Amino acid sequence: MQNNQNIYQEIVNAKAHNRKLLAILLDPDKIVWEQLELLIERIIPSPATHVFIGGSLVRTNRIDELIIRLKEKINLPIILFPGNPSQISKEADGILFLSLLSGRNPDFLIEHQVKAAPILIQTKLEIIPTAYLLIESGTITAVEKVSRTKPLDRNNLDLTLATAQAAEMMGNKLVYLEAGSGAKNAVPTEMVQLVSKNLNIPVIVGGGIIAFEQINKIYDSGADIVVIGTAFEKDLNFFKTIL
Ligand code: 1GP
């Protein structure tokens, strides 16, 4: 399988050519192992350009195994999207090295990162510093509970923009606007538009995106990567249907 040495550069190139990217998010705890072959068969013809692996809390110790199985058949970069350092796997190609900048909990601003650094230094993972901004979405999400942080007000565009701008100035290479897995309301398109327009770094948008039109609207608003988790998890034919 391909050796993904330059995941971030590929994302930047895609942005430069207005080529939109799509990540399928797999939560290792929610994998139905008996259906893994089917899951893989559905990912291969899908429009996915990346596979993200992670969750707010992951209990299984089968992350390595999952990635090895995926890599046997899927020729896409596999990127960790971890809720904490226990979800690091050397089998992946890269990691979103997240800072939860919408919140003020030091564990998610620096503590987890300090714990992760000595582990990551021993891997070949491509490390992509990513500002993670949780946006209020109508209900309390798992990220909010686990991180014990408040999301940004979905109507406060100025504060979200200032947070995203600070994230870029701090050297983050991506901004992830997150409504939360299974969110009732996705990130507002006006917010995506404002942040994308004012930043140079690529913007990822995820949480509560369940329809084809919604994906297109978010791309049209300037998002570079859309993340689909729950919709595909609930219906392995999701991409078949929307195509
Ligand atoms: C969650 O943004 C991702 O971290 C994906 O959300 O599960 O709602 O697609 P969904």
Side-chain angles (χ1 to χ4, degrees):
M1 291 281 126
Q2 120 194 358
N3 191 5
N4 299 291
Q5 290 297 342
N6 241 327
I7 301 166
Y8 183 67
Q9 195 50 51
E10 287 293 324
I11 296 172
V12 169
N13 292 348
K15 181 180 175 64
H17 294 99
N18 201 29
R19 193 158 36 82
K20 300 298 181 180
L21 305 172
L22 190 140
I24 290 182
L25 170 66
L26 301 178
D27 180 335
D29 269 348
K30 295 188 183 152
I31 297 293
V32 181
W33 288 85
E34 298 71 37
Q35 278 187 26
L36 186 59
E37 281 308 313
L38 180 65
L39 180 89
I40 292 171
E41 269 174 38
R42 292 294 185 269
I43 294 176
I44 293 168
S46 79
T49 55
H50 297 78
V51 176
F52 288 177
I53 307 274
S56 300
L57 272 183
V58 172
R59 290 181 179 83
T60 180
N61 56 6
R62 296 176 80 181
I63 299 182
D64 287 350
E65 183 188 344
L66 174 62
I67 298 173
I68 291 169
R69 293 276 300 277
L70 294 172
K71 291 189 98 175
E72 280 166 8
K73 300 222 172 115
I74 297 175
N75 196 19
L76 297 173
I78 303 213
I79 304 175
L80 301 172
F81 170 51
N84 64 59
S86 74
Q87 296 175 32
I88 296 172
S89 165
K90 65 173 178 20
E91 303 298 336
D93 300 303
I95 180 167
L96 300 182
F97 196 61
L98 301 167
S99 307
L100 181 55
L101 295 186
S102 51
R104 298 293 180 270
N105 181 345
D107 286 351
F108 292 84
L109 290 167
I110 184 65
E111 184 68 19
H112 286 318
Q113 292 81 346
V114 170
K115 291 207 170 97
I119 306 170
L120 289 173
I121 207 83
Q122 297 186 47
T123 71
K124 293 199 173 98
L125 294 174
E126 181 176 332
I127 294 164
I128 309 172
T130 301
Y132 191 48
L133 273 54
L134 182 61
I135 312 298
E136 186 259 316
S137 62
T139 50
I140 296 180
T141 59
V143 189
E144 184 174 346
K145 276 189 220 154
V146 172
S147 68
R148 285 166 280 116
T149 64
K150 288 276 158 241
L152 293 167
D153 179 344
R154 61 188 289 108
N155 298 311
N156 196 339
L157 299 183
D158 291 344
L159 180 60
T160 305
L161 176 60
T163 309
Q165 285 171 325
E168 182 169 37
M169 290 173 191
M170 288 165 78
N172 283 284
K173 290 181 167 180
L174 296 171
V175 165
Y176 192 138
L177 299 176
E178 169 73 279
S181 189
K184 190 168 146 205
N185 301 302
V187 176
T189 45
E190 312 80 66
M191 189 178 271
V192 177
Q193 204 169 15
L194 185 71
V195 169
S196 318
K197 202 174 67 189
N198 286 285
L199 257 55
N200 294 312
I201 54 176
V203 175
I204 308 178
V205 179
I209 302 169
I210 50 170
F212 183 59
E213 309 77 59
Q214 223 181 344
I215 299 177
N216 279 336
K217 269 193 198 150
I218 292 170
Y219 282 146
D220 290 346
S221 310
D224 301 290
I225 306 179
V226 163
V227 185
I228 301 289
T230 308
F232 181 62
E233 188 184 288
K234 282 194 178 154
D235 175 12
L236 292 184
N237 291 319
F238 176 73
F239 293 109
K240 252 186 169 178
T241 316
I242 65 167
L243 287 173

